[in-house]
Amino acid sequence: MIPREKHDRMANAIRVLSMDAVQAANSGHPGLPMGAADIATVLFTRFMKFDPKQPNWPDRDRFVLSAGHGSMLLYSLLYLLGYEDITIDEIRNFRQLGSKTAGHPEYGHAAGIETTTGPLGQGLANAVGMAIAERKLRDEFGADLVDHKTYALAGDGCLMEGISQEAITLAGHLKLSNLIVIWDDNRITIDGAVSLADSTDQPARFAASGWATETVDGHDPDAIAAALERAQSADRPTLIAARTTIGFGAPTKAGTAKAHGSPLGPEEIAGARASLGWDAEPFDIPSDILDDWRVAGLAACKQRVAWEKRLEEAGNGKRSEFERRMRGDLPASFGNAVADYKAQLAKDKPKVATRKASEMALEVINGALPETLGGSADLTGSNNTRTEQTAPITPDDFSGRYLHYGIREHGMAAAMNGIALHGGLIPYGGTFLVFSDYARPAMRLSSLMGIRVVYVMTHDSIGLGEDGPTHQPVEHLAALRAIPNHNVFRPADAMETAECWELALGEAKTPATIALTRQGLPALRTETSSENRCALGAYEMATAGEQTAVTLFASGSEVQIAMEARARLEAAGCPTRVVSVPCMELFERQDPDYQRAIIGEGGVRIAIEAGVSQGWARFIGEDGVFIGMDSFGASAPQEELYAHFGITADAVVAAAEARLERQTDAA
Amino acid sequence: MIPREKHDRMANAIRVLSMDAVQAANSGHPGLPMGAADIATVLFTRFMKFDPKQPNWPDRDRFVLSAGHGSMLLYSLLYLLGYEDITIDEIRNFRQLGSKTAGHPEYGHAAGIETTTGPLGQGLANAVGMAIAERKLRDEFGADLVDHKTYALAGDGCLMEGISQEAITLAGHLKLSNLIVIWDDNRITIDGAVSLADSTDQPARFAASGWATETVDGHDPDAIAAALERAQSADRPTLIAARTTIGFGAPTKAGTAKAHGSPLGPEEIAGARASLGWDAEPFDIPSDILDDWRVAGLAACKQRVAWEKRLEEAGNGKRSEFERRMRGDLPASFGNAVADYKAQLAKDKPKVATRKASEMALEVINGALPETLGGSADLTGSNNTRTEQTAPITPDDFSGRYLHYGIREHGMAAAMNGIALHGGLIPYGGTFLVFSDYARPAMRLSSLMGIRVVYVMTHDSIGLGEDGPTHQPVEHLAALRAIPNHNVFRPADAMETAECWELALGEAKTPATIALTRQGLPALRTETSSENRCALGAYEMATAGEQTAVTLFASGSEVQIAMEARARLEAAGCPTRVVSVPCMELFERQDPDYQRAIIGEGGVRIAIEAGVSQGWARFIGEDGVFIGMDSFGASAPQEELYAHFGITADAVVAAAEARLERQTDAA
């Protein structure tokens, strides 16, 4: 037990650092750090297991600041506890270019920042993923090596966002007793009182999803500690509703929206200093208080040392596998497994939908990589995401490797982010490509954080047929390609599908979307070379008979159309090459000479993709022809839709011939 | 009271039509229509107020099939009740090209389809918007003219999607007693039992959000009717949890996932016919049963006639205003109000952020258009969406014109869809542009349905500064421009902002996003002409001194950078023109000559936008220069970010000069 006075001084250190840093930056959010300082102090001094000197210790407890605008709470804690990345100078440079202390916590900027938060509700769902990863790895490696909690601090905004419901219900269903969420119940949002827009009984809501709930005074350290103590042994996830005052200590702004998102101002800050009994200058923490915090930072060191001993005793095989998994390295055997599979494909030449080809590839991948954790947002049979190796995880049995995420695309994506961030597992999850829109905010964060998450997006065009325009992606390939650091793969056959999966798994710092067809496709790539041609992003699948007159660029299911059109054009004496474009992002990484060679010079250029044209100008220039969609789709059998929207070999041949005639006329 | 036997035969007509249509189409979802047939029969024969001969009667009750995959339920009802658009031939042509009976219900295909559903959870949130619209218009025009209910039928998937929580909590907060949601509790999803992925106590969850709840046997007509009866007089929204058997009547597949999403097959259909006691051939409804349904369709006719009498008696002014509002025509005075405001702007030349300019425009718009209904997802002061005219709506007082939507971007967008679909109101709502990702599935549906919803998206680039990359849109302009039938406006100053608002409101069948800055911008357009130049999509803002050497294309906040660069290039003797591109979509609608003239021939072409390059190749071709973003942003003051990412007049001048030199060298 920490005496109350000492607790108050420690908590006030967070408050003062936060309000001073926001004031110095002339922007930021003082309200949450000041309001939640007591909660954070209790949590980090009495419960959290971590070691500031070994911040990436795999068995540490995770802390997720879901209400990421309160970033100064986290930065203050990291500084006070002695994390080396966050010095007092970093605190002084809050929100400045190049600092580690960005406006919202950015994963990768500093050890101790477990995830990037700010877009509300994401952190809460990341925490669910981290807790899933812990349960899964505990099952696999034993509680000797994996036995920790995930804590999340969520605000009203997190709980109002729809993603929170997906996260909460998934966690409740899975009985994630290792997950403890503290709700900073300050009853204030940007527009004013929460009661302007919401009347939800949050504990009742969580209870309806199978959570244990606690309600405490968020400024009473003993009450907070007692609730956290009970949560340690709960048989389900726990919500602690902690009633707090936003901007606690600010004389006139505390408890109001004015404390939320802007500097308090010199006068209010002086008043807060007085009311908190704080004499020290900005960024100067009295040494006794800093010592108290640093001592708290040392507390878990013993546990870490004991854990390392257990790791050593675990035996070489288990230890090296655990370490490999936590490093995120793929096993050396993986490449061979893929090569063998590709050799088999070259023989078998399967005519299958690429979603089926993805399942076939996954059989190999899941056999070679024990770290994959599959799932689908209730479309398992449609996404073909489950393989022989992946029995479902159930609330009482985490030995499986497959999650029925439910009809929760957004929650699935954010949970996968949490699983990837935890380490030791590579998550992949499926839905229809059109529903990438539901998952998009979390997919963006996969890219921003630079983590390995694989999105399996099937039914990737009007080729899905009768379900109609609500289910037919048209703009989604373009929209996903627009996201920085996101590899969008669209393989054309089983061979390309295998290669795209290999590439997706090989990129530790770039998430991937693999877009796959519902409809069957012929085998186009049947050579026996083990080279991964998709790694080039775009490559010549068929060369022209002689001097190229026409180049056809296409991706996915439209490559077969290009190949068919090429055959007819060549037969008509028109030398035509086909470039398959499975991944525009990887193409952009190639050297300029290769890029120029692929794009070619002169001749008619035509791109074919059953989506909008955005992005294809890179290949066909201003004068090229795009054959694809410029409207939403329609409900009909897929062959009819391709004909109706004019995405056919006929249309390609006609367009090529029209252009060639025009060129002849002009010459 | 309808005798049970008659009820059963009427409900079985839905079941048989549905299974037969799915079988004929060889795709579709028989399970829901068969399971929910009893509910629908009770609702449409005993409660719903509508007139198949006047299907757009404004005071009709709305029915939303949120579980849109069960489209055959709705088509069966419309056919049986005598809606003229849905003939038996349309039912026979279920899911065929050109039919009105698409795989999922498509708004606009046939009267009686109140909204497009299929993406789960959307319909539920649309229904909340419809109920909001009803309450608002009832307050404005009186219960004599507006007094109806909104019913929604939701499945497990709807309730698992996060958007449902946003919708439910908003409805509960607003005490929407005119909203009744029936949950088709069949405990089956595509992957199997709901219990694979969810353990939520749904009635408890709804109760936590302020809903009345009922639990009934969904195959007991009297129990369903009793619950619906109680819901009529509730003082809050009502959830009726109706326990049903999916595929009711199918001998072996009922109650299983096999009944959900594929044809039952001839044998199972024969078995279902036997178990339901149905002898008739496919698509042949025995005349007595069809008569019973048609009589039910006539029941509300009297109410419609009485309503029309009340409308006549309401007085010419009220009547014509009500009719104008329901037609969606803007008042004749609107154009003048905007013209006067633009003349004032030409004099005042305000240097303001475009979000502030938007507020200024909205003061004029909200004064001229009583039909606007504003709101924001908890960013009122940041989005500048509230004006003098728009007092907030509260649960007990709908006389206001502003909704505090809460931190619910997705729910807001889908509710706005519902408001627009209801008619009589034009909704606009704000959030940060980066959070368009959260709202995107509903924004897509605005476009697919072709309805007038205006998305006010502020903080539209790295110009938002310190909040950092989580809050800085980079890919969002491109991603929104990729959506068919969606006008993305990005005005450069106050004048363009006024013009973009005028254009957005003038398009009844295309939704709009208006992207607005946080940072202040100079007045660039100060001419006194009343012409709406933004209507051209892209136009020459500044001409070159002589034969154009350089053309600069830019949108929004980057137009000032283009203008500054132009001034310097012209001073250095390099004739430079500037094209402002406030709306790419409208540019594409111009005639080809205008387009060619704007793009120009020869010379160096440079595009400047603080976002990704995708989409700009249309303007600058393959050889042009793009100055913008190719990564995520960073946390720092905005001026520093523009410099850091090289989006400056310096960079534009340097790029132009480098290209001009290269041309000189080559010549």
PDB file of all heavy atoms in Angstrom, chain B residues 223-248:
ATOM      1  N   ALA B 223     -48.883 -13.724 -30.209  1.00  0.00           N
ATOM      2  CA  ALA B 223     -47.819 -13.182 -29.353  1.00  0.00           C
ATOM      3  C   ALA B 223     -47.103 -12.034 -30.070  1.00  0.00           C
ATOM      4  O   ALA B 223     -46.785 -11.003 -29.466  1.00  0.00           O
ATOM      5  CB  ALA B 223     -46.826 -14.283 -28.994  1.00  0.00           C
ATOM      6  N   ILE B 224     -46.875 -12.225 -31.368  1.00  0.00           N
ATOM      7  CA  ILE B 224     -46.231 -11.158 -32.143  1.00  0.00           C
ATOM      8  C   ILE B 224     -47.113  -9.918 -32.135  1.00  0.00           C
ATOM      9  O   ILE B 224     -46.647  -8.794 -31.896  1.00  0.00           O
ATOM     10  CB  ILE B 224     -45.993 -11.623 -33.603  1.00  0.00           C
ATOM     11  CG1 ILE B 224     -45.049 -12.828 -33.642  1.00  0.00           C
ATOM     12  CG2 ILE B 224     -45.445 -10.480 -34.457  1.00  0.00           C
ATOM     13  CD1 ILE B 224     -45.058 -13.571 -34.991  1.00  0.00           C
ATOM     14  N   ALA B 225     -48.408 -10.137 -32.371  1.00  0.00           N
ATOM     15  CA  ALA B 225     -49.346  -9.006 -32.422  1.00  0.00           C
ATOM     16  C   ALA B 225     -49.414  -8.297 -31.074  1.00  0.00           C
ATOM     17  O   ALA B 225     -49.447  -7.059 -31.006  1.00  0.00           O
ATOM     18  CB  ALA B 225     -50.719  -9.496 -32.842  1.00  0.00           C
ATOM     19  N   ALA B 226     -49.408  -9.068 -30.001  1.00  0.00           N
ATOM     20  CA  ALA B 226     -49.503  -8.444 -28.674  1.00  0.00           C
ATOM     21  C   ALA B 226     -48.280  -7.572 -28.407  1.00  0.00           C
ATOM     22  O   ALA B 226     -48.386  -6.462 -27.870  1.00  0.00           O
ATOM     23  CB  ALA B 226     -49.643  -9.528 -27.598  1.00  0.00           C
ATOM     24  N   ALA B 227     -47.116  -8.071 -28.797  1.00  0.00           N
ATOM     25  CA  ALA B 227     -45.895  -7.287 -28.587  1.00  0.00           C
ATOM     26  C   ALA B 227     -45.917  -6.024 -29.441  1.00  0.00           C
ATOM     27  O   ALA B 227     -45.559  -4.930 -28.982  1.00  0.00           O
ATOM     28  CB  ALA B 227     -44.669  -8.137 -28.912  1.00  0.00           C
ATOM     29  N   LEU B 228     -46.346  -6.169 -30.683  1.00  0.00           N
ATOM     30  CA  LEU B 228     -46.431  -4.995 -31.561  1.00  0.00           C
ATOM     31  C   LEU B 228     -47.450  -3.996 -31.021  1.00  0.00           C
ATOM     32  O   LEU B 228     -47.252  -2.781 -31.104  1.00  0.00           O
ATOM     33  CB  LEU B 228     -46.804  -5.423 -32.984  1.00  0.00           C
ATOM     34  CG  LEU B 228     -45.669  -6.043 -33.812  1.00  0.00           C
ATOM     35  CD1 LEU B 228     -46.220  -6.744 -35.057  1.00  0.00           C
ATOM     36  CD2 LEU B 228     -44.652  -4.962 -34.225  1.00  0.00           C
ATOM     37  N   GLU B 229     -48.511  -4.511 -30.457  1.00  0.00           N
ATOM     38  CA  GLU B 229     -49.543  -3.641 -29.885  1.00  0.00           C
ATOM     39  C   GLU B 229     -48.969  -2.821 -28.730  1.00  0.00           C
ATOM     40  O   GLU B 229     -49.155  -1.603 -28.660  1.00  0.00           O
ATOM     41  CB  GLU B 229     -50.723  -4.495 -29.400  1.00  0.00           C
ATOM     42  CG  GLU B 229     -51.974  -3.721 -29.062  1.00  0.00           C
ATOM     43  CD  GLU B 229     -52.480  -2.889 -30.237  1.00  0.00           C
ATOM     44  OE1 GLU B 229     -52.592  -3.449 -31.348  1.00  0.00           O
ATOM     45  OE2 GLU B 229     -52.725  -1.675 -30.046  1.00  0.00           O
ATOM     46  N   ARG B 230     -48.233  -3.479 -27.852  1.00  0.00           N
ATOM     47  CA  ARG B 230     -47.626  -2.747 -26.733  1.00  0.00           C
ATOM     48  C   ARG B 230     -46.624  -1.713 -27.244  1.00  0.00           C
ATOM     49  O   ARG B 230     -46.495  -0.631 -26.690  1.00  0.00           O
ATOM     50  CB  ARG B 230     -46.955  -3.721 -25.764  1.00  0.00           C
ATOM     51  CG  ARG B 230     -47.941  -4.471 -24.884  1.00  0.00           C
ATOM     52  CD  ARG B 230     -47.240  -5.299 -23.806  1.00  0.00           C
ATOM     53  NE  ARG B 230     -46.455  -6.400 -24.342  1.00  0.00           N
ATOM     54  CZ  ARG B 230     -46.935  -7.634 -24.587  1.00  0.00           C
ATOM     55  NH1 ARG B 230     -48.195  -7.912 -24.322  1.00  0.00           N
ATOM     56  NH2 ARG B 230     -46.150  -8.569 -25.062  1.00  0.00           N
ATOM     57  N   ALA B 231     -45.922  -2.084 -28.299  1.00  0.00           N
ATOM     58  CA  ALA B 231     -44.906  -1.168 -28.823  1.00  0.00           C
ATOM     59  C   ALA B 231     -45.521   0.117 -29.380  1.00  0.00           C
ATOM     60  O   ALA B 231     -44.866   1.164 -29.408  1.00  0.00           O
ATOM     61  CB  ALA B 231     -44.096  -1.862 -29.916  1.00  0.00           C
ATOM     62  N   GLN B 232     -46.793   0.037 -29.810  1.00  0.00           N
ATOM     63  CA  GLN B 232     -47.428   1.227 -30.384  1.00  0.00           C
ATOM     64  C   GLN B 232     -47.458   2.394 -29.396  1.00  0.00           C
ATOM     65  O   GLN B 232     -47.394   3.545 -29.788  1.00  0.00           O
ATOM     66  CB  GLN B 232     -48.881   0.918 -30.814  1.00  0.00           C
ATOM     67  CG  GLN B 232     -49.036  -0.222 -31.803  1.00  0.00           C
ATOM     68  CD  GLN B 232     -48.330   0.014 -33.130  1.00  0.00           C
ATOM     69  OE1 GLN B 232     -48.498   1.061 -33.740  1.00  0.00           O
ATOM     70  NE2 GLN B 232     -47.495  -0.928 -33.554  1.00  0.00           N
ATOM     71  N   SER B 233     -47.585   2.054 -28.121  1.00  0.00           N
ATOM     72  CA  SER B 233     -47.760   3.124 -27.133  1.00  0.00           C
ATOM     73  C   SER B 233     -46.564   3.264 -26.192  1.00  0.00           C
ATOM     74  O   SER B 233     -46.658   3.919 -25.162  1.00  0.00           O
ATOM     75  CB  SER B 233     -49.038   2.869 -26.327  1.00  0.00           C
ATOM     76  OG  SER B 233     -48.999   1.549 -25.814  1.00  0.00           O
ATOM     77  N   ALA B 234     -45.456   2.645 -26.545  1.00  0.00           N
ATOM     78  CA  ALA B 234     -44.268   2.769 -25.693  1.00  0.00           C
ATOM     79  C   ALA B 234     -43.756   4.202 -25.732  1.00  0.00           C
ATOM     80  O   ALA B 234     -44.006   4.941 -26.686  1.00  0.00           O
ATOM     81  CB  ALA B 234     -43.190   1.798 -26.164  1.00  0.00           C
ATOM     82  N   ASP B 235     -43.062   4.584 -24.691  1.00  0.00           N
ATOM     83  CA  ASP B 235     -42.500   5.940 -24.661  1.00  0.00           C
ATOM     84  C   ASP B 235     -41.036   5.944 -25.092  1.00  0.00           C
ATOM     85  O   ASP B 235     -40.301   6.886 -24.848  1.00  0.00           O
ATOM     86  CB  ASP B 235     -42.642   6.545 -23.260  1.00  0.00           C
ATOM     87  CG  ASP B 235     -41.893   5.746 -22.213  1.00  0.00           C
ATOM     88  OD1 ASP B 235     -41.363   4.648 -22.541  1.00  0.00           O
ATOM     89  OD2 ASP B 235     -41.817   6.215 -21.067  1.00  0.00           O
ATOM     90  N   ARG B 236     -40.608   4.877 -25.739  1.00  0.00           N
ATOM     91  CA  ARG B 236     -39.223   4.723 -26.175  1.00  0.00           C
ATOM     92  C   ARG B 236     -39.204   3.717 -27.315  1.00  0.00           C
ATOM     93  O   ARG B 236     -40.216   3.056 -27.557  1.00  0.00           O
ATOM     94  CB  ARG B 236     -38.385   4.229 -25.000  1.00  0.00           C
ATOM     95  CG  ARG B 236     -38.862   2.894 -24.465  1.00  0.00           C
ATOM     96  CD  ARG B 236     -38.210   2.544 -23.152  1.00  0.00           C
ATOM     97  NE  ARG B 236     -38.680   3.415 -22.071  1.00  0.00           N
ATOM     98  CZ  ARG B 236     -38.157   3.447 -20.855  1.00  0.00           C
ATOM     99  NH1 ARG B 236     -37.133   2.667 -20.573  1.00  0.00           N
ATOM    100  NH2 ARG B 236     -38.637   4.241 -19.937  1.00  0.00           N
ATOM    101  N   PRO B 237     -38.091   3.571 -27.988  1.00  0.00           N
ATOM    102  CA  PRO B 237     -38.057   2.555 -29.045  1.00  0.00           C
ATOM    103  C   PRO B 237     -38.213   1.163 -28.451  1.00  0.00           C
ATOM    104  O   PRO B 237     -37.849   0.931 -27.289  1.00  0.00           O
ATOM    105  CB  PRO B 237     -36.679   2.737 -29.685  1.00  0.00           C
ATOM    106  CG  PRO B 237     -35.852   3.448 -28.671  1.00  0.00           C
ATOM    107  CD  PRO B 237     -36.798   4.279 -27.862  1.00  0.00           C
ATOM    108  N   THR B 238     -38.729   0.269 -29.259  1.00  0.00           N
ATOM    109  CA  THR B 238     -38.987  -1.092 -28.779  1.00  0.00           C
ATOM    110  C   THR B 238     -38.213  -2.110 -29.613  1.00  0.00           C
ATOM    111  O   THR B 238     -38.210  -2.036 -30.840  1.00  0.00           O
ATOM    112  CB  THR B 238     -40.491  -1.424 -28.867  1.00  0.00           C
ATOM    113  OG1 THR B 238     -41.234  -0.543 -28.015  1.00  0.00           O
ATOM    114  CG2 THR B 238     -40.763  -2.873 -28.454  1.00  0.00           C
ATOM    115  N   LEU B 239     -37.583  -3.028 -28.902  1.00  0.00           N
ATOM    116  CA  LEU B 239     -37.024  -4.220 -29.548  1.00  0.00           C
ATOM    117  C   LEU B 239     -37.951  -5.391 -29.277  1.00  0.00           C
ATOM    118  O   LEU B 239     -38.287  -5.652 -28.117  1.00  0.00           O
ATOM    119  CB  LEU B 239     -35.641  -4.566 -28.975  1.00  0.00           C
ATOM    120  CG  LEU B 239     -35.131  -5.945 -29.438  1.00  0.00           C
ATOM    121  CD1 LEU B 239     -34.593  -5.869 -30.864  1.00  0.00           C
ATOM    122  CD2 LEU B 239     -34.079  -6.501 -28.494  1.00  0.00           C
ATOM    123  N   ILE B 240     -38.347  -6.063 -30.336  1.00  0.00           N
ATOM    124  CA  ILE B 240     -39.087  -7.313 -30.162  1.00  0.00           C
ATOM    125  C   ILE B 240     -38.169  -8.453 -30.592  1.00  0.00           C
ATOM    126  O   ILE B 240     -37.830  -8.584 -31.769  1.00  0.00           O
ATOM    127  CB  ILE B 240     -40.383  -7.315 -30.994  1.00  0.00           C
ATOM    128  CG1 ILE B 240     -41.280  -6.147 -30.556  1.00  0.00           C
ATOM    129  CG2 ILE B 240     -41.106  -8.659 -30.853  1.00  0.00           C
ATOM    130  CD1 ILE B 240     -42.537  -5.975 -31.394  1.00  0.00           C
ATOM    131  N   ALA B 241     -37.723  -9.222 -29.620  1.00  0.00           N
ATOM    132  CA  ALA B 241     -36.876 -10.375 -29.918  1.00  0.00           C
ATOM    133  C   ALA B 241     -37.801 -11.527 -30.263  1.00  0.00           C
ATOM    134  O   ALA B 241     -38.537 -12.014 -29.402  1.00  0.00           O
ATOM    135  CB  ALA B 241     -36.000 -10.719 -28.712  1.00  0.00           C
ATOM    136  N   ALA B 242     -37.796 -11.915 -31.511  1.00  0.00           N
ATOM    137  CA  ALA B 242     -38.725 -12.945 -31.973  1.00  0.00           C
ATOM    138  C   ALA B 242     -37.944 -14.215 -32.285  1.00  0.00           C
ATOM    139  O   ALA B 242     -37.180 -14.264 -33.242  1.00  0.00           O
ATOM    140  CB  ALA B 242     -39.482 -12.458 -33.200  1.00  0.00           C
ATOM    141  N   ARG B 243     -38.157 -15.222 -31.491  1.00  0.00           N
ATOM    142  CA  ARG B 243     -37.466 -16.494 -31.672  1.00  0.00           C
ATOM    143  C   ARG B 243     -38.068 -17.212 -32.867  1.00  0.00           C
ATOM    144  O   ARG B 243     -39.261 -17.498 -32.901  1.00  0.00           O
ATOM    145  CB  ARG B 243     -37.646 -17.323 -30.395  1.00  0.00           C
ATOM    146  CG  ARG B 243     -36.959 -18.642 -30.389  1.00  0.00           C
ATOM    147  CD  ARG B 243     -35.475 -18.485 -30.109  1.00  0.00           C
ATOM    148  NE  ARG B 243     -34.874 -19.817 -30.090  1.00  0.00           N
ATOM    149  CZ  ARG B 243     -34.397 -20.437 -31.171  1.00  0.00           C
ATOM    150  NH1 ARG B 243     -34.426 -19.839 -32.342  1.00  0.00           N
ATOM    151  NH2 ARG B 243     -33.878 -21.648 -31.080  1.00  0.00           N
ATOM    152  N   THR B 244     -37.222 -17.460 -33.852  1.00  0.00           N
ATOM    153  CA  THR B 244     -37.732 -18.112 -35.066  1.00  0.00           C
ATOM    154  C   THR B 244     -36.859 -19.302 -35.456  1.00  0.00           C
ATOM    155  O   THR B 244     -35.758 -19.480 -34.932  1.00  0.00           O
ATOM    156  CB  THR B 244     -37.726 -17.133 -36.261  1.00  0.00           C
ATOM    157  OG1 THR B 244     -36.384 -16.755 -36.529  1.00  0.00           O
ATOM    158  CG2 THR B 244     -38.570 -15.901 -35.998  1.00  0.00           C
ATOM    159  N   THR B 245     -37.377 -20.054 -36.394  1.00  0.00           N
ATOM    160  CA  THR B 245     -36.620 -21.147 -36.991  1.00  0.00           C
ATOM    161  C   THR B 245     -36.283 -20.759 -38.421  1.00  0.00           C
ATOM    162  O   THR B 245     -37.178 -20.547 -39.245  1.00  0.00           O
ATOM    163  CB  THR B 245     -37.464 -22.434 -37.003  1.00  0.00           C
ATOM    164  OG1 THR B 245     -37.804 -22.761 -35.657  1.00  0.00           O
ATOM    165  CG2 THR B 245     -36.689 -23.588 -37.631  1.00  0.00           C
ATOM    166  N   ILE B 246     -34.994 -20.635 -38.702  1.00  0.00           N
ATOM    167  CA  ILE B 246     -34.592 -20.287 -40.059  1.00  0.00           C
ATOM    168  C   ILE B 246     -35.056 -21.393 -41.013  1.00  0.00           C
ATOM    169  O   ILE B 246     -35.010 -22.583 -40.684  1.00  0.00           O
ATOM    170  CB  ILE B 246     -33.055 -20.075 -40.133  1.00  0.00           C
ATOM    171  CG1 ILE B 246     -32.646 -19.460 -41.477  1.00  0.00           C
ATOM    172  CG2 ILE B 246     -32.301 -21.366 -39.854  1.00  0.00           C
ATOM    173  CD1 ILE B 246     -31.187 -19.001 -41.510  1.00  0.00           C
ATOM    174  N   GLY B 247     -35.550 -20.990 -42.179  1.00  0.00           N
ATOM    175  CA  GLY B 247     -36.012 -21.981 -43.153  1.00  0.00           C
ATOM    176  C   GLY B 247     -37.226 -22.764 -42.681  1.00  0.00           C
ATOM    177  O   GLY B 247     -37.417 -23.920 -43.094  1.00  0.00           O
ATOM    178  N   PHE B 248     -38.058 -22.141 -41.849  1.00  0.00           N
ATOM    179  CA  PHE B 248     -39.232 -22.812 -41.281  1.00  0.00           C
ATOM    180  C   PHE B 248     -40.011 -23.566 -42.368  1.00  0.00           C
ATOM    181  O   PHE B 248     -40.391 -22.978 -43.386  1.00  0.00           O
ATOM    182  CB  PHE B 248     -40.141 -21.772 -40.610  1.00  0.00           C
ATOM    183  CG  PHE B 248     -41.351 -22.337 -39.926  1.00  0.00           C
ATOM    184  CD1 PHE B 248     -41.334 -22.608 -38.566  1.00  0.00           C
ATOM    185  CD2 PHE B 248     -42.522 -22.607 -40.647  1.00  0.00           C
ATOM    186  CE1 PHE B 248     -42.450 -23.130 -37.920  1.00  0.00           C
ATOM    187  CE2 PHE B 248     -43.640 -23.134 -40.013  1.00  0.00           C
ATOM    188  CZ  PHE B 248     -43.609 -23.398 -38.649  1.00  0.00           C
TER     189      PHE B 248
END
